[in-house]
Amino acid sequence: MRGSLCAAVTELNLPLTLASGQAFRWRKRAHADVWFGVIGKLVFNLEQCVDKQTIEWTVLNHVSRDGNKCKKLDSTNINELLTDYFNLNYSLSDLYEHWSRCDENFAAIAPKFTGVRVLRQQPEENLFSFICSSNNNIQRISKMIESLCQNYGEFLLTDDEFGDIHAFPDIKSLCNENLEQELRKLGFGYRSKYIANCAKMIASKSEQWLQELRHKCYEDARNELIALPGIGPKVADCICLMSLDKSEAIPVDTHIWQIATKIYLPHLKRNKSLTDKAYKEIGDFFRSRFGTNAGWAHNVLFCSDLRQFKNS
DNA sequence: TACGTACCTAAACG
DNA sequence: ACGTTTAGGTACG
């Protein structure tokens, strides 16, 4: 099934948005500007058509009508799904203008990094992905997530270029007793225990627990996430921002720490490490400077600081 | 409360 | 070369 979605490059820059380490399963095809990835149980090719101001999409797997409890899938549904996933119901260029007026550093960076959008991901995939992200790099995180899918997720299809593709595993599939040891063997390191214990704890809660955090306030959602093993302040903020609709969440990682001490809050250079207090100070600064959607502005600055996008 | 340190791994670094 | 550092941190003392 094919279709097209209206989105100018200034509203959605596919490579910057998909490869900036928000989500870890999108890959560019070798011989075309086509992005390959999975959303739920659907496998996609996405291509940005600059002239036509659209994203051309293809769903690569056949979708059984009874398989998912969801409605029959037609191209309208897919457009809705992509609009939701890419958070397309707000105008990014308007926000860029606003943020550029708020902050001259943003104004200087923005022209080179237009169309960097925060995705609205599926909470479970987002949560386990960012447990893997601690003290790690994007390349290795991507390998780990792919390995998690290959070993515990439902088979979807075989792709000519990327081979067997699996969905992200559901919680039940991550609840087997040997999971920690298995993940150790697969190279997850100390995150193996976090993932195994997290799966068990989430499984013991109500089935809708994670989804319902979307309807709670930022502080409550964040506190509930931090109670899980392997989730600290930074990872909790990633999950809040990227899948729980908390656009005011500011994940402070090494990049944002660098940017903050270099440009905005130089007095923090005296700190030996990122304390809870400094963490909050940086988040509060971004929120006061950029407003309620500070997390989306932060994402643009983060992206501009990634090594892979330097000099671009 | 505020640091220091251990924790897995692999590629980049000097 | 080859040991050290770094890469989107967290838990524990």
Side-chain angles (χ1 to χ4, degrees):
Chain A
M1 189 170 23
R2 295 164 169 278
S4 87
L5 185 67
C6 255
V9 191
T10 48
E11 283 299 312
L12 172 57
N13 182 318
L14 223 42
L16 284 179
T17 299
L18 294 180
S20 62
Q22 305 181 54
F24 300 96
R25 297 199 70 192
W26 291 97
R27 291 178 276 188
K28 198 188 88 65
R29 291 199 178 276
H31 303 295
D33 280 333
V34 172
W35 289 83
F36 172 87
V38 183
I39 303 174
K41 292 185 179 176
L42 298 177
V43 186
F44 281 93
N45 274 341
L46 300 178
E47 181 170 18
Q48 186 137 39
C49 298
V50 177
D51 296 339
K52 295 199 302 186
Q53 309 264 304
T54 58
I55 304 288
E56 304 295 319
W57 55 259
T58 308
V59 175
L60 300 174
N61 47 346
H62 302 289
V63 186
S64 65
R65 269 158 230 187
D66 51 342
N68 315 2
K69 53 207 163 204
C70 63
K71 354 79 202 200
K72 216 193 296 178
L73 284 169
D74 55 29
S75 67
T76 307
N77 293 142
I78 302 292
N79 274 337
E80 282 171 9
L81 182 145
L82 290 173
T83 299
D84 184 73
Y85 184 77
F86 284 105
N87 246 330
L88 287 174
N89 283 329
Y90 64 87
S91 164
L92 194 60
S93 52
D94 289 352
L95 287 169
Y96 267 58
E97 270 188 47
H98 171 60
W99 296 327
S100 294
R101 282 195 300 270
C102 296
D103 183 62
E104 59 182 29
N105 176 56
F106 187 95
I109 285 168
K112 289 183 181 174
F113 292 89
T114 58
V116 180
R117 209 164 251 282
V118 175
L119 301 171
R120 186 170 194 258
Q121 299 186 57
Q122 308 199 147
E124 285 187 11
E125 175 170 345
N126 191 218
L127 185 151
F128 286 104
S129 297
F130 277 85
I131 287 176
C132 295
S133 77
S134 77
N135 212 349
N136 206 347
N137 57 71
I138 292 177
Q139 203 180 340
R140 183 172 164 223
I141 299 165
S142 302
K143 278 185 192 162
M144 286 162 62
I145 302 306
E146 212 48 44
S147 171
L148 201 61
C149 295
Q150 294 287 339
N151 285 282
Y152 303 100
E154 179 186 331
F155 172 82
L156 298 176
L157 58 74
T158 302
D159 179 76
D160 288 341
E161 182 173 355
F162 297 117
D164 286 358
I165 303 301
H166 297 248
F168 194 87
D170 53 39
I171 293 288
K172 283 179 190 165
S173 315
L174 296 177
C175 281
N176 81 67
E177 279 309 311
N178 300 318
L179 187 72
E180 182 183 343
Q181 296 170 36
E182 291 174 15
L183 292 180
R184 285 263 171 192
K185 281 185 194 156
L186 290 170
F188 282 67
Y190 60 81
R191 303 162 195 85
S192 307
K193 182 182 282 191
Y194 298 155
I195 293 170
N197 289 342
C198 233
K200 282 183 200 163
M201 286 181 68
I202 293 173
S204 75
K205 295 170 183 285
S206 99
E207 202 167 324
Q208 297 304 314
W209 171 73
L210 196 47
Q211 283 288 336
E212 282 168 358
L213 293 185
R214 282 183 167 170
H215 305 301
K216 297 198 173 179
C217 72
Y218 169 45
E219 190 187 355
D220 289 352
R222 188 176 192 271
N223 286 336
E224 292 203 35
L225 290 172
I226 287 179
L228 296 174
I231 301 184
K234 189 270 177 180
V235 169
D237 277 331
C238 285
I239 301 164
C240 280
L241 176 65
M242 299 171 187
S243 65
L244 298 180
D245 302 332
K246 313 300 181 236
S247 59
E248 71 270 48
I250 308 290
V252 181
D253 53 35
T254 56
H255 294 281
I256 296 303
W257 169 254
Q258 295 298 323
I259 292 172
T261 55
K262 190 165 68 181
I263 298 169
Y264 297 116
L265 303 166
H267 66 277
L268 289 179
K269 278 181 190 162
R270 294 190 287 112
N271 282 40
K272 311 227 170 181
S273 61
L274 181 57
T275 61
D276 286 351
K277 195 179 159 195
Y279 189 103
K280 186 170 189 314
E281 186 177 343
I282 294 171
D284 286 343
F285 172 82
F286 273 84
R287 281 183 283 273
S288 67
R289 169 78 44 120
F290 294 104
T292 49
N293 299 321
W296 294 341
H298 137 283
N299 191 238
V300 179
L301 298 178
F302 169 78
C303 194
S304 74
D305 199 61
L306 278 181
R307 186 172 54 200
Q308 63 190 126
F309 296 130
K310 291 269 172 111
N311 313 318
S312 69

